[in-house]
């Protein structure tokens, strides 16, 4: 789900995580290992937050470690397999069942019952986001939802104004209008975004996942990718032979497309990366109402092997509820999950205001639904979906072959 660039630990003076699942000292001081994925900017913000925590809890020290998204999970998987997972770590919905099945995650409900972790004061029911089969395996730190990031200048010149409830037909007509009037593709190409396809399926009464497998058929995916291949060929979707070399720059900021689907809190990167004005547009619908959307979230989880579950819970509680942490983190981890942090940070920049307004509109319009459960292996399914969609778009695999290969890989991942 939230993938951002990583950076150097040395540049920040961070202490690398040591061995073991937490440690203690002769004077009663406890050391917790805390690991996450993200950029150097996120690391600086988290370091500032940790300094506040250690001031309030002088007997708890935090050792930190961070990497880019893919590297984080590679290292975490190795640590978890060796019984050496960090005491506290950043987590996401696609990994809860996977690592619960591997007996890695601490059920935090006991610590909540003991008063070390507050589960009240969350926005929009987010406190339930980390629940799996009655266990509390993660606590949300921020929320986000799928949105369409648009180049506002391109949309204005093309005479396109997306509004809540617009349909997929209207969306594709808008892309064609952009292509014809602005000389660039309408969209970067949404066909490989698992979380967007999930919304499309939910609009049709299905979902990407059930609790144990895939919630759609080969016929469904064949229809999705056949239409995508035709739109790439027509130029309504951007040419992947141009967008792939442009990475890590977005196809929108590289001026190869007028819009693309992503998580709403990622909107910050476009202003920093591009030359135009960028905004958030609503998800297209099938019936003018149902978007299939839910609030997603980054979470904090704890290791089942931690020697200090109380202190781990206290640290999570602080990072989730403390108002000063909310001010420091801003929207880096999404819109703050708790009312205390949401109220403490009021964005002054245009992009931040748009993100806040977008999520407020989602809540007030009552389009939000419960998130689809993610079975163990969901992360492998997402990687395969992106890879095969790209191969299909490049013409390296016929649609039928890409679909068949996807179901083969997904079924293997979900049964292992």
């Amino acid at each position: 789900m939230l993938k951002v660039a990583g950076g150097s630990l040395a540049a920040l003076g961070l202490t690398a995580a040591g061995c073991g699942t937490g440690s203690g000292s002769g004077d009663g001081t406890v050391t917790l290992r805390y690991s996450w994925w993200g950029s150097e900017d996120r690391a600086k913000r988290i370091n500032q937050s940790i300094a506040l925590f250690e001031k309030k809890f002088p007997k708890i020290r935090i050792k930190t470690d961070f990497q880019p998204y893919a590297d984080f999970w590679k290292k975490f998987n190795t640590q978890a397999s060796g019984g050496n997972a960090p005491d506290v770590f950043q987590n996401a919905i696609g990994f809860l069942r996977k690592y619960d099945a591997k007996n890695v995650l601490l059920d935090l409900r006991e610590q909540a019952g003991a008063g070390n972790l507050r589960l009240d004061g969350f926005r929009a029911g987010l406190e339930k986001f980390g629940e799996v089969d009655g266990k509390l395996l993660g606590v949300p730190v921020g929320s986000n939802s799928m949105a369409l990031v648009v180049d506002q200048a391109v949309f204005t010149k093309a005479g396109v104004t997306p509004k809540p409830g617009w349909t997929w037909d209207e969306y594709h007509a808008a892309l064609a209008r952009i292509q014809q009037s602005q000389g660039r593709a309408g969209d970067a190409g949404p066909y490989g975004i698992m979380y967007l396809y999930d919304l499309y399926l939910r609009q049709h009464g299905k979902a990407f996942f059930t609790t144990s497998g895939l919630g759609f058929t080969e016929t469904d995916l064949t229809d999705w990718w056949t239409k995508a291949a035709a739109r790439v060929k027509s130029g309504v979707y951007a040419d992947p032979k141009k967008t792939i070399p442009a990475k890590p720059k977005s196809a929108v900021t590289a001026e190869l497309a007028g819009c693309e689907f992503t998580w709403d809190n990622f909107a910050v990167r476009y202003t920093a990366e591009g030359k135009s004005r960028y905004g958030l547009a609503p998800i297209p619908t099938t019936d003018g109402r149902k978007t299939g959307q839910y609030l997603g979230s980054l979470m904090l989880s704890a290791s089942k092997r931690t020697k200090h579950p109380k202190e781990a819970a206290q640290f999570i509680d602080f990072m989730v509820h403390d108002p000063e942490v909310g001010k420091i983190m801003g929207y880096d981890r999404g819109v703050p999950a708790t009312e205390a942090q949401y109220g403490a940070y009021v964005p002054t920049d245009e992009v931040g205001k748009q993100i806040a307004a977008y999520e407020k509109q989602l809540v007030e319009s009552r389009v939000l639904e419960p998130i689809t459960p993610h079975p163990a292996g969901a992360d492998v399914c997402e990687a395969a979906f992106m890879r095969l969609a790209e191969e299909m778009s490049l013409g390296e695999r016929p649609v039928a072959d890409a679909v068949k290969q996807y179901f083969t890989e997904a079924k293997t991942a979900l049964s292992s």
Side-chain angles (χ1 to χ4, degrees), residues 256-268:
L256 298 171
C259 63
E260 65 183 9
F261 292 96
T262 189
W263 298 104
D264 57 11
N265 65 308
F266 281 15
V268 176

Side-chain angles (χ1 to χ4, degrees), residues 148 171 175 185-190 235-239 251 256-261:
L148 183 66
Y171 155 76
L175 300 189
D187 192 291
V236 172
Y237 292 165
D239 183 353
L256 298 171
C259 63
E260 65 183 9
F261 292 96

Side-chain angles (χ1 to χ4, degrees), residues 306-350:
T306 181
K307 296 176 182 177
H308 308 289
K310 175 183 177 180
E311 290 81 0
Q314 289 174 323
F315 178 59
I316 291 173
D317 181 89
F318 184 85
M319 295 296 281
V320 170
H321 287 278
D322 187 82
E324 290 302 313
V325 172
K327 292 178 183 178
I328 292 170
M329 297 305 302
Y331 286 176
D332 177 83
R333 302 175 300 180
V335 177
T338 57
E339 294 290 354
Q341 292 193 349
Y342 180 77
Y345 176 74
V346 179
T348 56
D349 63 294
E350 188 59 35

Side-chain angles (χ1 to χ4, degrees), residues 212-284:
S212 59
L214 297 177
F216 60 100
T217 66
E218 291 189 24
T219 300
D220 294 325
L221 185 55
T222 298
D223 178 65
W224 178 255
W225 277 349
T226 297
K227 290 176 179 176
R231 287 167 181 146
V232 170
K233 188 174 182 179
S234 72
V236 172
Y237 292 165
D239 183 353
K241 292 178 181 177
K242 294 180 180 178
T243 60
I244 293 171
K247 292 180 179 180
K249 198 167 189 178
S250 155
V252 174
T253 57
E255 301 182 358
L256 298 171
C259 63
E260 65 183 9
F261 292 96
T262 189
W263 298 104
D264 57 11
N265 65 308
F266 281 15
V268 176
R269 73 170 275 201
Y270 294 82
T271 299
E273 194 176 90
K275 301 175 182 177
S276 189
R277 294 177 295 105
Y278 306 97
L280 296 174
I283 297 293

Side-chain angles (χ1 to χ4, degrees), residues 40-117:
E40 289 196 7
D41 180 62
R42 176 176 293 176
K44 290 176 182 177
R45 293 171 188 267
I46 287 177
N47 252 16
Q48 290 174 6
S49 301
I50 288 172
L52 290 179
F53 174 79
E54 291 181 336
K55 186 175 181 180
K56 183 175 181 179
F57 294 87
K59 292 294 185 180
I60 306 176
R61 310 300 295 175
I62 308 296
K63 286 188 176 181
T64 60
D65 187 19
F66 83 104
Q67 296 87 28
Y69 182 86
D71 294 339
F72 171 90
W73 287 112
K74 187 183 298 183
K75 181 174 182 178
F76 182 84
N77 192 52
T78 299
Q79 292 173 323
S81 298
N84 190 36
D87 297 275
V88 179
F89 49 92
Q90 194 167 282
N91 208 347
I93 189 70
F95 299 90
L96 291 183
R97 288 184 183 275
K98 174 178 181 174
Y99 286 107
D100 181 43
K102 293 177 181 289
N103 213 29
V104 173
L105 304 179
L106 178 68
D107 183 353
L108 290 161
R109 201 168 296 284
E110 181 178 343
Q111 292 301 320
N116 300 319
L117 175 63

Side-chain angles (χ1 to χ4, degrees), residues 288-411:
R289 167 69 183 171
K290 184 179 175 68
T291 67
Q293 283 175 277
Y294 46 81
L295 289 182
S297 179
L298 280 178
M299 289 176 281
L300 295 182
S301 294
S303 168
K304 198 167 189 176
R305 288 176 174 259
T306 181
K307 296 176 182 177
H308 308 289
K310 175 183 177 180
E311 290 81 0
Q314 289 174 323
F315 178 59
I316 291 173
D317 181 89
F318 184 85
M319 295 296 281
V320 170
H321 287 278
D322 187 82
E324 290 302 313
V325 172
K327 292 178 183 178
I328 292 170
M329 297 305 302
Y331 286 176
D332 177 83
R333 302 175 300 180
V335 177
T338 57
E339 294 290 354
Q341 292 193 349
Y342 180 77
Y345 176 74
V346 179
T348 56
D349 63 294
E350 188 59 35
V351 177
K353 290 178 180 178
Q354 285 190 41
I355 296 170
Y358 182 76
E359 291 208 7
K360 183 180 180 182
Q361 185 270 328
L362 290 179
V363 172
E364 292 180 348
S365 62
R366 300 184 182 277
V367 299
L368 293 172
E369 304 173 3
I371 190 169
T372 303
H374 283 49
D379 55 324
V380 179
C381 292
E382 181 184 11
F385 193 77
M386 288 190 292
R387 186 188 77 253
L388 290 166
E390 183 175 283
E391 291 176 5
M392 176 277 299
S393 70
L394 288 165
E396 296 174 356
R397 278 185 187 269
V399 169
D401 181 52
V403 170
K404 183 177 180 181
Q405 182 64 26
Y406 181 72
F407 272 76
T408 297
E409 293 187 28
K411 287 177 180 177

